[in-house]
Amino acid sequence: MKFHYLKKFIQHYLTATLIDVLHSPFVFDLYQNTIEKQKYHSKFKAIENCRTNLLKNVEIVSYYDLGAGSNLLSTETEKVVKDLAKAHLKPARIAQIIHQIVLKYKYKNIIELGTSLGITASYIATAIKENYPLEETNFTTIEGIHDVRKVALKQFETLELSKHVNSIEGSFNEKLDDVLNNYQSIDVFFVDGNHTYEATMDYFNKALPKAHNDSVFIFDDIYWSPGMTKAWEEIKQNNNVYQTVDLFFIGLVFFRTEQNRQHFKLRVF
Ligand SMILES: C[S@@+](CC[C@H](N)C(=O)[O-])C[C@H]1O[C@@H](n2cnc3c(N)ncnc32)[C@H](O)[C@@H]1O
């Protein structure tokens, strides 16, 4: 697993397109406004303080592996919050890219699979709050583990974001169909849990009918395993997909029919 990840990391960095030779106006604009390292934003300070606190939090929660690490022998166990924070949370740089994308394109119909402790959800909700301070939110995030979701709810409260996130408890298999039924269309579909080929393709295929011309689907950890990379390559080849932007840590999928079919690899660090 580790070897696959390292090999793909080196390949990515050797083959990524340099921004000065990027010929797509849409991707160039996306890069300049959302991906290129932004100057420090003080608005992120509160979320990053929460992250720092989570990384020190010695509270014990019940935990059950529902994702790619699960197997028939997985049983309920206990975890310390700080260990979960180390293992689960996306680096600030990646969460901030997702924030900037939601902010720039004024996205509001959003689904996240895998809330964990709520850090990326807080970045998304902050962008929604900035764009639509008074509107009822249409951002749903799903988490399977009761105690983990409870910690996330506390973050949303501390950050005054509770009104801007619908948090749902349950397994993706149980909840996704119902959640999708409540959306006429989706602007952002962010898959950040259960990193197997089968599950990723299943979630993609379920959400695809709700995609519109300007939607973006975001897949985390596309090089985590050969199975995830296989899913990513298959998604890129899907007839409905027009552009993809591979940032190694996450993959962005666009459906913009007015642009040529093109696949980009860009560096973020
Ligand atoms: C990598 S973490 C998400 C991190 C979070 N998006 C962030 O960036 O702050 C993945 C989460 O998905 C949850 N999860 C994994 N598989 C699941 C499933 N099948 N149903 C429900 N939750 C699941 C895990 O419990 C875990 O909390």
Side-chain angles (χ1 to χ4, degrees):
M1 213 73 90
K2 277 239 156 78
F3 175 71
H4 173 82
Y5 190 79
L6 272 175
K7 187 174 101 183
K8 291 292 177 187
F9 182 77
I10 294 164
Q11 274 174 0
H12 183 89
Y13 273 72
L14 293 176
T15 56
T17 310
L18 296 174
I19 190 67
D20 359 348
V21 290
L22 192 57
H23 292 305
S24 158
F26 166 67
V27 177
F28 187 78
D29 180 56
L30 175 84
Y31 182 84
Q32 282 208 312
N33 290 297
T34 67
I35 300 170
E36 192 172 41
K37 200 152 176 43
Q38 312 283 319
K39 57 180 186 313
Y40 177 75
H41 278 292
S42 54
K43 67 177 171 180
F44 298 144
K45 196 166 170 235
I47 303 180
E48 287 309 311
N49 283 344
C50 280
R51 181 200 299 273
T52 307
N53 291 336
L54 289 169
L55 287 165
K56 290 189 218 150
N57 187 333
V58 291
E59 192 185 331
I60 291 174
V61 292
S62 320
Y63 187 82
Y64 183 80
D65 200 339
L66 282 160
S70 64
N71 59 47
L72 290 176
L73 300 175
S74 294
T75 46
E76 194 155 319
T77 163
E78 292 188 329
K79 293 254 186 202
V80 184
V81 169
K82 67 176 184 178
D83 295 337
L84 278 180
K86 254 184 239 152
H88 282 186
L89 301 183
K90 218 146 295 326
R93 172 91 176 96
I94 302 297
Q96 286 166 14
I97 290 172
I98 297 173
H99 168 96
Q100 298 295 1
I101 290 174
V102 173
L103 190 70
K104 173 174 165 62
Y105 297 103
K106 298 210 169 345
Y107 287 136
K108 54 175 159 180
N109 299 309
I110 303 176
I111 298 173
E112 176 188 47
L113 299 188
T115 318
S116 183
L117 305 169
I119 289 293
T120 305
S122 297
Y123 272 102
I124 293 172
T126 303
I128 294 173
K129 186 178 176 181
E130 203 172 319
N131 282 335
Y132 306 102
L134 301 175
E135 273 186 32
E136 201 176 309
T137 191
N138 217 10
F139 167 34
T140 304
T141 178
I142 309 177
E143 172 55 51
I145 299 177
H146 176 78
D147 278 8
V148 172
R149 173 174 172 266
K150 257 173 56 188
V151 178
L153 291 177
K154 263 193 229 156
Q155 311 308 309
F156 303 149
E157 238 175 78
T158 308
L159 295 164
E160 297 181 4
L161 293 170
S162 305
K163 273 200 318 210
H164 304 276
V165 193
N166 295 320
S167 159
I168 291 193
E169 182 178 323
S171 81
F172 304 153
N173 282 354
E174 277 168 23
K175 299 291 174 184
L176 183 57
D177 290 338
D178 282 351
V179 168
L180 282 167
N181 280 339
N182 287 330
Y183 282 81
Q184 274 191 335
S185 65
I186 310 173
D187 300 327
V188 181
F189 184 58
F190 174 37
V191 180
D192 192 8
N194 204 2
H195 293 324
T196 63
Y197 164 78
E198 292 77 13
T200 305
M201 291 312 300
D202 183 40
Y203 306 147
F204 172 72
N205 286 319
K206 280 188 167 148
L208 192 57
K210 302 281 173 156
H212 56 80
N213 192 68
D214 298 322
S215 303
V216 59
F217 283 14
I218 306 175
F219 293 90
D220 184 67
D221 269 341
I222 49 179
Y223 294 108
W224 188 74
S225 64
M228 281 304 289
T229 307
K230 183 176 167 205
W232 173 244
E233 291 304 327
E234 214 167 296
I235 289 168
K236 279 165 68 181
Q237 297 315 317
N238 185 286
N239 261 343
N240 299 285
V241 170
Y242 273 71
Q243 303 79 32
T244 61
V245 179
D246 174 346
L247 301 176
F248 186 76
F249 303 96
I250 52 173
L252 311 176
V253 176
F254 294 94
F255 305 87
R256 304 168 63 91
T257 52
E258 66 274 31
Q259 255 107 36
N260 294 334
R261 286 184 197 272
Q262 272 184 303
H263 303 291
F264 300 90
K265 285 184 186 201
L266 300 176
R267 293 183 192 175
V268 289
F269 286 106

